[in-house]
Amino acid sequence: MAAPTTAPLADRLRAIVGADAVIDDRATLLPYAYDASFWSLRQNRAPEAVVLPRTTEDVARVVRCAAETGTPIVARGAGTGQTGGAVAASGGIVIAFSRMREVIAIDRANLQAVVRPGLVFADFQDALRPHGLFFPPDPGSGRACTLGGMAANNASGPHAVRWGTTSAYVLGLEVVLADGAVIWTGGARSRALKSSSGIDLTKLFVGSEGTLGIITTLRLRVQPRPPARAVVLAAYAALEDTVRSLDDLFAAGILPSTAELLDTSAVTALQRWKPDLALPDGEAVLFVEVEGTPDHVASAVRGVDAIVRRRATVTRFAEEEAAVARLWAARSGMAAAAALAHPGKHRIFAGEDLAVPLTEIPRTIRRAREIAAELGVAVTFYGHFGDGNVHSAILVDPADPDEVRRADELADRLHRLAIEVGGTVTGEHGTGAVRSRYMRAEHGDALDVMKRIKDELDPKGILNPGKIWNEEATSRR
Amino acid sequence: MAAPTTAPLADRLRAIVGADAVIDDRATLLPYAYDASFWSLRQNRAPEAVVLPRTTEDVARVVRCAAETGTPIVARGAGTGQTGGAVAASGGIVIAFSRMREVIAIDRANLQAVVRPGLVFADFQDALRPHGLFFPPDPGSGRACTLGGMAANNASGPHAVRWGTTSAYVLGLEVVLADGAVIWTGGARSRALKSSSGIDLTKLFVGSEGTLGIITTLRLRVQPRPPARAVVLAAYAALEDTVRSLDDLFAAGILPSTAELLDTSAVTALQRWKPDLALPDGEAVLFVEVEGTPDHVASAVRGVDAIVRRRATVTRFAEEEAAVARLWAARSGMAAAAALAHPGKHRIFAGEDLAVPLTEIPRTIRRAREIAAELGVAVTFYGHFGDGNVHSAILVDPADPDEVRRADELADRLHRLAIEVGGTVTGEHGTGAVRSRYMRAEHGDALDVMKRIKDELDPKGILNPGKIWNEEATSRR
């Protein structure tokens, strides 16, 4: 049945998974050349072929085929990534998981679910809701992004403060290795919620961006859904006061479920976009959320309000679900608001995901503003304050080459700034192609240990080449 | 300065770290031959030398010395482990961290602390308390065990239900590799609270039991300490009702901070040991804890009580800290209570740490009771119900060889039972020497991937040989 290795790649793939599971016409390949990164938008990195597997065995056979000929192979979820992670940097095969999106099991009594990697985050939440459950990590792209992509990038969002990142919720993974062998991490048949058995391969594959293996099934921990929530909105005269306010909460034994930051640039943009929110002025605004039973939330929101008003110029809180949802909808419309504030410019994803120590957030944002002003580039800053994650929405006219060059320089300097203040170049989006050049500066000699593991698990270098490691970054300093 | 490699090991070590940092007289070496495992108590595995380093550089130099001659090297905290993990299975050097126990930094505003591996868990909590902070994982041996040991074994305890295991709280590690090189995982100079940068070496070293590298400093996430707690105590006519009761809580959106189980054997033992607790009768008793602000706790404890009394025969709750502390003190005296119930017998640590799916707990305990009865071995069962962790206190007369043989068989069958019901042979204690034989059955081919990583990072096999992997387990099925 198998086509000879001298046959064209797509023919060989068709012989393996069937003609309807292989794409190789240029027009249909085109979307697979892109993700949300500015990097991918400036070039055409279409793969030679896209495979749409239905089963783990399909994936394993495709990987074996790629291994025979040393062909690069890149796993792809919804393509919402901002790092080029799901784009074939050097040709080869993209495995797109759009047909492997089943919820295999939801087991409330055991607080877990088993899903396929192509399942969309929002669809998973919808499936969990009738069981009174939820999956805590909550990326901004949740309406489109997939669970496989979230695991591959160790994604998170506003709720990571209280609930942690995707890594904390992956109990086990079915993984196709670089030679096509299939393993289960976290116990071959386990449904346990915790284990200290062997070494932790699960959390090694989580965040490895398809460079060590390809995830084909996920066993996930899920949580009882808190029945109520409320949000305190607090405006501050100075960024530094937000840090003190959060520390006041910590001192009182309170860890909010989210603490979202809007820098003055974001406040202004939101005021213009959604005037009905009546967002107060300030150098910074925090949205602090509490969750739990209705009783608890009613008491907690007042407790948080009493504490943050010591430092804030204005506070108010929303308890009714409709009002809370309206605030969050406004917050998640930041990208639209930022674009509106700068007509004719487009938001690009570059230098967009710094995470720094909480106490360094004010200095980081002030310095970032100065650099942006110096370079004459428009930026809006916002982020998940509670874990130090600072997002920057850089706005450019893509038709202006000099502005694009200045935006590139801004992104580069933001990454270096993050490392300089004791942070990381990516809090939740991943390394991909765009941040590999910063790995040496951030990780030092640990990068070599990462590379040794990569080379051991993928000796031919076929799994997502050009991501995390590249020549420049992996050569010794 | 260095002694030639032909000199006795202890002489070479003295030349490296100074005479006062090396132990090689047989009497003083003896305690290092043991941990809490029954395995270690039945043999004498004294190392050739013990080193008591003061600095990371001391550790690195000792590892380089060991690497030169292929000498085994085993890291040791307090020796409270129950798996032989900190015992030199095949001679060589034990590095004991009793002099590296500093709290280097506590940084509340950034929710983190930096500590040395020899720091005792309880001392760390004491240091955190004035800052309003705590470190959530809470092993039963917390008064003695060290943070390095907790990280090496991914330890946890009752609070893992709500807060997760040690792995969730390790942000970065300074690690001495098998060749003596020193790296920092999680960013060379990072103080970020989350990161998706590179691959996650931190969580690979956590739980690897000193087989991949030796931890010399830990950067830990800490949390605001909830100011109040309360406990609901509920007795059940049948084990199965405890599972339904917990699911009732999940359905109501409630995740308790702990849900501790006492099987009837443990209830009887505790009733005899602490009659003043007036512990109600039942096939099972649950201690369900809630934490938070005083307002929240007052409301939550009543909410939990209302839900568990649907299934329980008796419930009552303790809100005053003195009463709560008295309940927990009784619970943590389980070992003493079990011993009292069987005069003349000693508790051994073997087959003591199963974790199974929550819904399988009743079947697991019933089957375990049957096996124990069939073998004529006394056992008390209890555990961290909320994450499926079933502890068994096996009681034997060590002078009775037949009873010891039957206890060994019981431990073996308990391990196999855990795997059979979809669980793991160790929920929180680790693999060590005693559970390596079950790794193939539990992990299947994933064990080979673990071994490839081990061989890549420790090609000479000097780091804690005989743990996790052994000849029997690593040969293909």
Side-chain angles (χ1 to χ4, degrees):
Chain A
M1 268 315 251
T5 55
T6 52
L9 179 62
D11 290 345
R12 279 182 288 130
L13 293 171
R14 275 187 278 265
I16 291 170
V17 290
D20 74 328
V22 177
I23 295 168
D24 69 336
D25 67 286
R26 294 213 59 77
T28 319
L29 283 178
L30 197 61
Y32 296 93
Y34 304 106
D35 64 1
S37 66
F38 191 48
W39 175 85
S40 76
L41 298 182
R42 297 155 83 182
Q43 48 199 310
N44 181 339
R45 301 261 188 171
E48 290 167 66
V50 171
V51 174
L52 306 166
R54 285 196 176 78
T55 64
T56 299
E57 187 46 39
D58 281 351
V59 177
R61 278 181 291 183
V62 170
V63 172
R64 282 195 290 270
C65 166
E68 271 174 31
T69 52
T71 306
I73 188 154
V74 180
R76 182 181 178 96
T80 56
Q82 299 172 11
T83 71
V87 173
S90 41
I93 304 163
V94 162
I95 296 199
F97 280 100
S98 44
R99 287 176 178 170
M100 285 176 68
R101 58 200 304 161
E102 309 95 291
V103 176
I104 297 173
I106 293 176
D107 181 355
R108 183 178 69 203
N110 287 310
L111 290 181
Q112 58 198 275
V114 180
V115 307
R116 292 295 200 171
L119 181 66
V120 170
F121 171 81
D123 294 341
F124 186 39
Q125 297 291 34
D126 288 346
L128 291 170
R129 198 169 287 110
H131 300 269
L133 298 170
F134 83 122
F135 184 67
D138 55 341
S141 56
R143 279 177 294 181
C145 76
T146 64
L147 272 304
M150 287 179 66
N153 292 291
N154 189 18
S156 57
H159 283 80
V161 183
R162 156 69 178 81
W163 292 97
T165 67
T166 298
S167 176
Y169 296 91
V170 184
L171 297 169
L173 293 170
E174 184 189 58
V175 178
V176 176
L177 302 175
D179 62 358
V182 181
I183 61 165
W184 262 100
T185 69
R189 285 169 303 278
S190 181
R191 289 181 298 139
L193 281 175
K194 73 178 188 187
S195 176
S196 284
S197 178
I199 63 170
D200 195 344
L201 294 182
T202 304
K203 289 179 173 37
L204 178 67
F205 284 107
V206 171
S208 68
E209 305 187 10
T211 66
L212 304 181
I214 295 179
I215 297 168
T216 46
T217 313
L218 303 93
R219 183 166 71 92
L220 300 173
R221 180 174 179 129
V222 293
Q223 298 284 21
R225 177 182 285 273
R229 60 178 178 169
V231 172
V232 177
L233 191 155
Y236 296 85
L239 267 171
E240 287 72 11
D241 293 333
T242 61
V243 178
R244 294 187 195 107
S245 222
L246 212 62
D247 189 53
D248 290 342
L249 291 173
F250 299 159
I254 296 170
L255 184 69
S257 64
T258 71
E260 290 293 292
L261 171 75
L262 304 179
D263 167 67
T264 180
S265 54
V267 172
T268 310
L270 266 190
Q271 283 172 333
R272 195 170 314 179
W273 186 56
K274 294 269 188 194
D276 55 309
L277 280 180
L279 210 60
D281 292 325
E283 193 188 9
V285 166
L286 285 187
F287 287 27
V288 180
E289 189 188 76
V290 294
E291 291 171 309
T293 56
D295 272 10
H296 168 56
V297 168
S299 138
V301 75
R302 285 161 179 80
V304 168
D305 183 68
I307 290 170
V308 298
R309 68 169 56 204
R310 290 184 214 155
R311 314 273 184 188
T313 52
V314 182
T315 73
R316 64 173 204 255
F317 56 84
E319 288 184 284
E320 301 209 348
E321 181 50 33
V324 173
R326 207 159 55 97
L327 279 178
W328 283 129
R331 159 64 187 78
S332 69
M334 265 315 305
L340 191 73
H342 299 275
K345 296 196 190 294
H346 294 264
R347 184 190 178 171
I348 58 167
F349 289 99
E352 83 292 342
D353 187 40
L354 319 182
V356 301
L358 307 196
T359 52
E360 295 295 331
I361 291 178
R363 182 156 74 106
T364 302
I365 292 182
R366 288 189 196 292
R367 185 75 193 110
R369 283 188 203 142
E370 288 166 11
I371 299 170
E374 183 191 320
L375 293 168
V377 178
V379 196
T380 301
F381 296 102
Y382 60 100
H384 314 315
F385 191 90
D387 45 28
N389 202 182
V390 176
H391 291 317
S392 41
I394 299 181
L395 294 132
V396 300
D397 172 0
D400 179 341
D402 188 65
E403 190 171 351
V404 167
R405 184 196 58 72
R406 286 179 280 121
D408 284 340
E409 184 175 340
L410 173 60
D412 179 55
R413 288 172 70 180
L414 290 177
H415 284 134
R416 296 184 192 282
L417 174 63
I419 296 172
E420 185 189 316
V421 300
T424 170
V425 293
T426 175
E428 58 186 24
H429 295 174
T431 307
V434 303
R435 284 186 268 267
S436 58
R437 77 180 71 167
Y438 307 105
M439 293 297 98
R440 178 63 71 189
E442 181 167 338
H443 296 289
D445 293 344
L447 185 64
D448 302 315
V449 178
M450 297 179 194
K451 189 61 164 55
R452 285 164 63 189
I453 292 171
K454 162 71 173 173
D455 290 345
E456 172 57 38
L457 296 187
D458 179 22
K460 295 180 180 171
I462 62 171
L463 295 175
N464 212 358
K467 312 301 165 61
I468 301 182
W469 300 274
N470 64 24
E471 287 311 310
E472 177 193 353
T474 48
S475 61
R476 306 281 301 197
R477 282 164 305 183
Chain B
M1 271 311 252
T5 55
T6 51
L9 178 63
D11 290 346
R12 279 182 289 132
L13 293 170
R14 274 187 279 265
I16 291 169
V17 290
D20 74 329
V22 177
I23 296 168
D24 70 336
D25 66 288
R26 296 213 57 78
T28 319
L29 283 178
L30 197 60
Y32 296 93
Y34 305 106
D35 64 1
S37 67
F38 191 46
W39 175 85
S40 76
L41 299 182
R42 296 154 83 183
Q43 47 198 311
N44 181 340
R45 302 262 188 169
E48 288 167 69
V50 171
V51 175
L52 305 166
R54 285 195 177 78
T55 64
T56 299
E57 187 46 39
D58 281 350
V59 177
R61 280 182 290 182
V62 170
V63 171
R64 283 195 289 270
C65 165
E68 272 175 30
T69 51
T71 307
I73 189 154
V74 180
R76 183 182 177 95
T80 56
Q82 300 172 11
T83 71
V87 173
S90 40
I93 302 163
V94 162
I95 296 198
F97 281 101
S98 44
R99 287 175 178 171
M100 285 175 69
R101 58 200 304 161
E102 309 94 294
V103 175
I104 296 173
I106 293 176
D107 180 355
R108 184 178 68 203
N110 288 309
L111 290 181
Q112 59 197 275
V114 180
V115 306
R116 291 295 200 170
L119 180 66
V120 170
F121 171 82
D123 294 341
F124 186 38
Q125 297 290 35
D126 288 345
L128 291 171
R129 197 168 288 112
H131 300 269
L133 297 170
F134 83 123
F135 184 67
D138 55 340
S141 55
R143 278 177 295 182
C145 76
T146 64
L147 273 303
M150 287 180 67
N153 292 291
N154 190 17
S156 56
H159 283 79
V161 182
R162 156 69 178 81
W163 291 98
T165 67
T166 298
S167 175
Y169 296 91
V170 184
L171 297 170
L173 293 170
E174 184 189 59
V175 178
V176 175
L177 302 175
D179 62 358
V182 181
I183 60 166
W184 263 100
T185 70
R189 286 169 302 277
S190 180
R191 289 180 298 139
L193 281 175
K194 74 177 188 188
S195 176
S196 284
S197 178
I199 63 170
D200 195 344
L201 294 182
T202 303
K203 289 178 175 36
L204 178 67
F205 284 107
V206 170
S208 68
E209 305 186 10
T211 65
L212 304 181
I214 295 178
I215 297 167
T216 46
T217 314
L218 304 93
R219 183 166 70 92
L220 300 173
R221 179 172 179 132
V222 293
Q223 299 284 20
R225 176 180 285 273
R229 60 177 178 169
V231 172
V232 178
L233 191 155
Y236 295 85
L239 267 172
E240 287 72 11
D241 293 333
T242 60
V243 177
R244 294 187 194 107
S245 223
L246 212 62
D247 189 52
D248 291 341
L249 292 173
F250 298 159
I254 296 170
L255 184 70
S257 64
T258 71
E260 289 294 293
L261 171 75
L262 303 179
D263 168 67
T264 181
S265 54
V267 173
T268 310
L270 266 189
Q271 283 173 333
R272 195 170 314 179
W273 186 56
K274 293 268 187 194
D276 55 309
L277 281 182
L279 210 60
D281 290 325
E283 194 188 9
V285 166
L286 286 186
F287 287 27
V288 180
E289 190 188 75
V290 295
E291 291 171 309
T293 56
D295 272 9
H296 167 56
V297 168
S299 137
V301 74
R302 284 161 181 81
V304 168
D305 183 68
I307 290 170
V308 298
R309 67 170 57 203
R310 290 185 214 154
R311 314 274 184 186
T313 52
V314 182
T315 73
R316 63 172 206 256
F317 57 84
E319 289 184 284
E320 301 209 347
E321 182 50 33
V324 172
R326 207 159 55 98
L327 279 178
W328 282 128
R331 159 61 188 80
S332 69
M334 265 313 306
L340 192 71
H342 299 275
K345 295 195 190 295
H346 294 264
R347 183 191 179 170
I348 59 168
F349 288 98
E352 83 293 341
D353 187 39
L354 319 183
V356 300
L358 307 196
T359 53
E360 295 294 332
I361 291 177
R363 182 157 74 106
T364 303
I365 291 182
R366 287 191 196 292
R367 185 75 194 111
R369 282 188 204 142
E370 288 167 11
I371 300 169
E374 183 192 318
L375 293 168
V377 178
V379 196
T380 300
F381 296 103
Y382 60 100
H384 314 315
F385 191 90
D387 46 27
N389 202 184
V390 176
H391 291 317
S392 42
I394 299 181
L395 294 132
V396 300
D397 173 0
D400 179 342
D402 188 65
E403 189 171 350
V404 167
R405 185 196 58 71
R406 286 179 280 122
D408 285 341
E409 184 175 341
L410 173 59
D412 179 54
R413 289 173 68 180
L414 290 177
H415 284 134
R416 296 184 192 283
L417 174 63
I419 296 172
E420 185 189 315
V421 301
T424 171
V425 294
T426 175
E428 58 184 24
H429 294 173
T431 306
V434 304
R435 283 186 268 269
S436 59
R437 77 179 72 167
Y438 307 106
M439 292 298 98
R440 178 63 70 190
E442 182 167 337
H443 296 289
D445 293 345
L447 186 64
D448 302 316
V449 178
M450 296 179 195
K451 189 61 163 53
R452 285 163 62 189
I453 293 171
K454 161 70 173 175
D455 290 345
E456 172 57 37
L457 296 187
D458 179 22
K460 294 181 181 170
I462 62 171
L463 294 174
N464 213 358
K467 311 302 165 61
I468 301 182
W469 301 275
N470 64 25
E471 287 312 309
E472 177 193 353
T474 49
S475 61
R476 307 281 301 198
R477 282 164 305 180

